[in-house]
Amino acid sequence: MSLTLLEIEHIARLARLEITPAEVETACWQLNGIFSLIEALQAVDTAGIEPKTHVHDAWQRLRADEVTYRDEDGAVRDLLQSIAPDAENGLYLVPKVIE
């Protein structure tokens, strides 16, 4: 799979990115290089190889999930929300992102 310059421009427009013609060419070259690498990796025969979650047989050391700090009076929350663009009743208000 390879992308054309028009496809890169279309993707940038969809992502609302401003991209110069030079950046389009660079992005096209880089993305096509990534796709070539992915194709090479997909060509490797992995039949009979068990999937691993880590290159070494290692496990995450877990600890008990305990509350280490309580903001009983809400002072810290109020301080943090004082710099937020919009907050109400202890919640951060964000713009709707679904068109």
Side-chain angles (χ1 to χ4, degrees):
M1 174 185 182
S2 64
L3 296 174
T4 65
L5 296 177
L6 290 175
E7 290 171 325
I8 297 291
E9 290 172 348
H10 180 69
I11 292 167
R13 191 171 36 265
L14 290 174
R16 307 284 196 263
L17 297 174
E18 251 184 70
I19 188 166
T20 66
E23 291 172 327
V24 170
E25 290 183 23
T26 301
C28 188
W29 178 78
Q30 291 175 338
L31 287 171
N32 286 330
I34 292 169
F35 289 144
S36 296
L37 178 61
I38 291 171
E39 287 174 2
L41 290 173
Q42 287 177 334
V44 174
D45 181 22
T46 58
I49 297 176
E50 185 179 330
K52 292 189 167 264
T53 57
H54 197 277
V55 294
H56 302 290
D57 286 330
W59 291 272
Q60 176 92 20
R61 287 178 279 145
L62 301 178
R63 61 171 176 77
D65 189 14
E66 299 172 358
V67 176
T68 57
Y69 177 78
R70 292 182 192 269
D71 185 22
E72 300 292 338
D73 59 356
V76 174
R77 181 195 66 211
D78 294 340
L79 176 67
L80 292 173
Q81 288 188 342
S82 69
I83 60 173
D86 202 5
E88 183 179 299
N89 296 328
L91 302 173
Y92 293 98
L93 302 178
V94 296
K96 186 176 180 180
V97 293
I98 299 174
E99 294 181 25

